[in-house]
């Protein structure tokens, strides 16, 4: 009958409403109570419960694999830990060693707690007297060789104090702990306990409890990158090599002082203040025209996006195609007349810095270093001689060929 159908329809609709209410119901939460507690780290596994796509894309990046738990996953160790091979490679280094090759500490596989990196090199964390230390042997993955790393004082350099805050998330120096290995969500977005605890219905309050770098002013946002792609010392904690106390959205210089050649660092910086060492891109960038014009790290690099990166440097475009997103070649004159194949990176981002092997990473000052720069100071490299073709070429001939007449008043 019609009445029976109507009752069935009403019953069905009621069931649907009840189901929706049951699924969508969120427990009432007192916002003031939650935000009255100190903010704390919760870990990326908490973030993924709502931000799965971002979490998956982050897992494709180097940040997520900066520090890996070797006890949970021995596959994180990318090379056999063979003591004989390691000592043979160390012997090849000769006088570069401060400790004889046969006396350098080589960890056993079961002693390795965490691995650090894998793209250019890999280092290994071991535990001693309740502290983590970086073992004094390093594997260079591109050249397949073992080299030394602080072999004379490795156990005098606590990893958490010297490096931990840029390898792990949520480091607590007093407790000697961290929340998660790697550069997790909260390294850039800040502590997430308030954000995770608030219900989705508290949408506006929830937004205000987390840092979104895209919504910060660019000058402040880029300092998040600079907090680790940098070299120097903490200003708020003696002996720390990373900006202890800094949080995303704050001013970095209040917590960190970058190194410089002028300040006496001849090991990591050239005389022209270009970087020799790795994780110093922020120092370079601050000297660049990009810095002055407001072109920041995320103008070229992404932090997380879906899919496999076109380059291992996580740039939006591959190689010099990234440059052509903004730049156009107008006149093929001087050096551009010779190198007309549009390899911007080759000259303007010369390979003069070192991560594992000399020249394996690019300068980020975005300036082509000319042969005459090396003529002026032989300790300063030039773009031309980073190319194998010009490696041993005469500097004056190179300068004159690329820029005719530029040495007339030399």
């Amino acid at each position: 009958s019609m009445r029976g159908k109507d009752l069935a329809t009403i019953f069905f609709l009621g069931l649907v409403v009840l189901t929706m209410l049951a699924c969508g119901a969120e427990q009432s939460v007192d916002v003031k109570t939650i935000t009255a507690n100190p903010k704390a780290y919760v870990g990326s596994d908490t973030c993924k419960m709502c931000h799965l796509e971002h979490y998956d894309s982050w897992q494709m990046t180097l940040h997520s694999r900066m520090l890996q738990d070797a006890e949970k996953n021995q596959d994180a160790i990318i090379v056999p830990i063979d003591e004989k091979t390691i000592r043979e490679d160390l012997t090849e280094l000769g006088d570069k060693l401060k400790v004889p090759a046969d006396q350098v500490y080589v960890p056993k596989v079961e002693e390795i707690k965490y691995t650090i990196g894998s793209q250019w090199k890999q280092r290994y964390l071991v535990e001693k007297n309740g502290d983590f230390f970086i073992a004094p042997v390093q594997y260079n993955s591109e050249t397949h060789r073992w080299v030394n790393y602080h072999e004379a004082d490795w156990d005098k350099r606590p990893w958490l104090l010297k490096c931990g805050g840029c390898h792990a998330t949520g480091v607590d120096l007093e407790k000697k702990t961290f929340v998660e290995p790697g550069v997790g969500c909260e390294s850039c977005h800040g502590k997430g306990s308030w954000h995770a605890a608030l219900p989705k219905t508290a949408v506006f309050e929830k937004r205000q409890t987390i840092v979104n770098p895209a919504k910060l002013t660019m000058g402040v946002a880029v300092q998040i990158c600079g907090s680790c792609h940098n070299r120097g010392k903490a200003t708020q904690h003696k002996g720390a090599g990373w900006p202890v106390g800094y949080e995303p959205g704050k001013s970095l210089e209040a917590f960190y002082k970058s190194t410089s050649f002028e300040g006496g660092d001849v090991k990591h910086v050239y005389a022209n203040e270009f970087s020799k060492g790795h994780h110093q891109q922020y120092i370079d960038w601050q000297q660049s025209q990009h810095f002055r014009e407001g072109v920041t790290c995320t103008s070229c690099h992404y932090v997380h996006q879906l899919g496999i990166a076109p380059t291992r440097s996580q740039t939006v475009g591959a190689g010099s195609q990234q440059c052509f997103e903004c730049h156009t070649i107008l006149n093929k004159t001087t050096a551009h007349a010779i190198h007309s194949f549009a390899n911007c990176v080759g000259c303007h981002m010369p390979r003069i810095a070192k991560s594992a092997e000399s020249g394996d990473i690019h300068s980020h000052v975005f300036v082509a270093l000319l042969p005459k720069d090396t003529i002026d100071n032989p300790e300063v490299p030039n773009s031309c001689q980073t190319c194998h073709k010009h490696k041993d070429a005469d500097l004056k001939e190179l300068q004159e060929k690329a820029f005719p007449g530029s040495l007339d008043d030399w």
Side-chain angles (χ1 to χ4, degrees):
S1 67
M2 287 294 292
R3 186 156 184 240
K5 287 183 179 179
D6 289 343
L7 286 171
T9 301
I10 291 168
F11 175 78
F12 176 74
L13 290 173
L15 189 62
V16 169
V17 170
L18 286 171
T19 302
M20 290 176 68
L21 287 172
C23 292
E26 288 187 329
Q27 189 176 359
S28 178
V29 176
D30 186 341
V31 174
K32 289 184 178 179
T33 300
I34 289 173
T35 55
N37 295 314
K39 274 189 176 181
Y41 290 99
V42 294
S44 299
D45 280 345
T46 299
C47 306
K48 77 179 179 184
M49 302 309 293
C50 292
H51 304 285
L52 185 57
E53 284 192 349
H54 291 95
Y55 176 87
D56 284 344
S57 60
W58 162 77
Q59 282 202 309
M60 302 290 287
T61 68
L62 297 179
H63 280 167
S64 71
R65 288 164 284 189
M66 182 71 246
L67 187 73
Q68 297 186 76
D69 191 327
E71 291 186 313
K72 289 183 179 178
N73 176 25
Q74 280 210 352
D75 286 336
I77 302 172
I78 63 173
V79 65
I81 308 298
D82 180 66
E83 184 175 346
K84 181 175 179 292
T85 301
I86 294 171
R87 295 203 186 281
E88 286 175 353
D89 282 0
L90 292 177
T91 301
E92 293 290 322
L93 298 174
D95 294 340
K96 293 180 180 179
L97 294 178
K98 295 180 180 178
V99 173
D102 61 350
Q103 295 177 28
V104 175
Y105 166 67
V106 175
K108 294 179 172 59
V109 171
E110 57 269 22
E111 293 177 316
I112 297 173
K113 303 297 183 182
Y114 293 91
T115 62
I116 303 173
S118 64
Q119 178 81 287
W120 290 271
K121 59 179 180 277
Q122 190 166 72
R123 293 173 181 164
Y124 306 95
L125 276 188
V126 296
E127 195 171 357
K128 184 177 180 181
N129 300 325
D131 281 306
F132 287 117
F133 296 91
I134 300 176
V137 292
Q138 167 185 305
Y139 177 68
N140 291 354
S141 54
E142 289 191 344
T143 51
H144 182 51
R145 72 173 185 136
W146 291 89
V147 296
N148 56 316
Y149 181 74
H150 285 282
E151 68 277 15
D153 63 346
W154 67 275
D155 57 355
K156 306 291 191 299
R157 296 168 49 83
W159 165 76
L160 276 176
L161 179 67
K162 295 294 184 182
C163 317
C166 287
H167 293 165
T169 306
V171 169
D172 187 321
L173 289 176
E174 289 186 10
K175 296 179 180 178
K176 298 182 181 181
T177 60
F178 53 88
V179 172
E180 71 172 308
V183 183
C185 306
E186 292 162 294
S187 293
C188 301
H189 293 280
K191 298 173 183 176
S193 59
W194 290 1
H195 189 73
L198 288 173
K200 292 179 181 178
T201 49
V203 59
F204 298 110
E205 293 90 342
K206 197 172 178 73
R207 284 182 176 184
Q208 291 172 357
T209 59
I210 202 75
V211 175
N212 183 345
K215 294 181 179 179
L216 297 174
T217 57
M218 292 178 76
V220 173
V222 73
Q223 292 180 46
I224 299 173
C225 308
S227 66
C228 284
H229 292 266
N230 203 336
R231 188 182 294 274
K233 59 183 180 181
T235 59
Q236 305 288 328
H237 196 291
K238 187 177 180 180
W242 54 279
V244 179
Y246 170 79
E247 294 184 1
K250 302 301 181 184
S251 172
L252 176 60
E253 289 196 16
F255 301 89
Y256 200 69
K257 181 174 176 58
S258 298
T259 194
S260 67
F261 184 88
E262 186 181 12
D265 190 353
V266 299
K267 179 180 179 181
H268 299 111
V269 189
Y270 292 107
N272 58 357
E273 297 292 356
F274 285 39
S275 290
K276 288 182 184 180
H278 63 298
H279 64 73
Q280 295 179 200
Q281 292 85 358
Y282 186 74
I283 296 174
D284 276 357
W285 170 78
Q286 284 189 306
Q287 302 173 63
S288 73
Q289 191 65 27
H290 280 175
F291 165 73
R292 289 185 285 276
E293 297 297 337
V295 178
T296 70
C297 309
T298 52
S299 300
C300 301
H301 299 272
Y302 63 84
V303 184
H304 46 69
Q305 73 169 30
L306 293 177
I308 297 173
T311 73
R312 70 177 185 176
S313 303
Q314 294 173 211
T315 51
V316 178
S320 295
Q321 289 303 311
Q322 176 62 50
C323 308
F324 291 121
E325 293 290 319
C326 296
H327 298 280
T328 303
I329 295 179
L330 297 178
N331 298 305
K332 293 182 178 180
T333 60
T334 58
H336 287 146
I338 302 169
H339 296 297
S340 57
F341 47 83
N343 178 18
C344 317
V345 170
C347 296
H348 293 270
M349 297 183 69
R351 288 177 173 270
I352 60 170
K354 175 184 177 180
S355 178
E357 303 285 0
S358 182
D360 59 1
I361 52 177
H362 294 277
S363 166
H364 275 68
V365 186
F366 308 102
V367 168
L369 290 169
L370 305 182
K372 67 179 183 180
D373 294 319
T374 308
I375 295 172
D376 280 344
N377 185 342
E379 297 299 316
V380 173
N382 64 83
S383 299
C384 303
Q385 289 186 316
T386 60
C387 173
H388 66 91
K389 180 177 175 62
H390 304 306
K391 185 178 179 182
D392 300 313
D394 181 86
L395 290 172
K396 290 185 178 180
E397 286 183 13
L398 277 178
Q399 179 69 33
E400 188 60 27
K401 185 176 182 181
F403 298 92
S406 59
L407 295 178
D408 288 352
D409 299 325
W410 212 254

